[in-house]
Amino acid sequence: MARVKRGVTQHARHKRILALAKGFHSGRSRLHKTANEAVLHSLDYQYRDRRNKKRQFHRLWIIRINAASRANGLSYSRFMAGLNAAGVAINRKMLAEMAVSDSAAFTNLVALARDSQVSAVATA
């Protein structure tokens, strides 16, 4: 059986890792062993943070909606319950955008939520 020399394969593998480590500081971008460790960690962090980003934005939207609805005299939970009772299907991202950019429309939604909540209590 012929002898297997791994120079080409190993060089390509090292090059791929060092290319992924481009922009890292010091030996983390130049030395294969430390670069490999840094790249593996960075890939883990990327995977984790793609999911955390969604959570963070959801939290931000809720905070913005709560602040705007409280400015109009209604808590977040009562506002959302009122919207559900009124049959308004707007997601939190759009509600937060309305709260920031179009406060008049958001005030109308708060009034709608308040009225639908009052009517739901009166019928029960």
Side-chain angles (χ1 to χ4, degrees):
M1 186 176 239
R3 176 179 166 212
V4 176
K5 296 177 69 178
R6 297 179 43 107
V8 175
T9 309
Q10 200 158 19
H11 184 68
R13 197 171 288 159
H14 285 199
K15 256 180 90 170
R16 189 179 71 235
I17 293 296
L18 292 175
L20 287 172
K22 186 177 176 187
F24 289 6
H25 185 65
S26 194
R28 292 163 68 92
S29 68
R30 289 191 294 269
L31 305 173
H32 174 262
K33 194 171 183 179
T34 53
N36 189 42
E37 189 176 324
V39 164
L40 290 177
H41 280 120
S42 72
L43 292 174
D44 279 345
Y45 298 148
Q46 286 174 18
Y47 179 84
R48 177 196 69 194
D49 291 337
R50 280 194 299 272
R51 281 134 189 89
N52 284 348
K53 183 175 161 185
K54 295 165 184 59
R55 294 178 210 155
Q56 291 296 324
F57 270 108
H58 198 264
R59 288 178 64 194
L60 175 67
W61 298 332
I62 290 173
I63 289 167
R64 286 181 175 172
I65 295 167
N66 188 24
S69 61
R70 282 184 188 274
N72 286 298
L74 205 61
S75 70
Y76 171 80
S77 60
R78 294 195 183 276
F79 173 64
M80 294 306 284
L83 286 182
N84 287 336
V88 176
I90 302 176
N91 63 16
R92 284 163 181 79
K93 181 179 180 180
M94 291 299 111
L95 285 172
E97 184 60 33
M98 286 176 69
V100 171
S101 63
D102 191 5
S103 58
F106 191 82
T107 303
N108 291 340
L109 280 177
V110 170
L112 176 71
R114 188 179 288 125
D115 293 341
S116 65
Q117 208 172 26
V118 168
S119 64
V121 170
T123 58

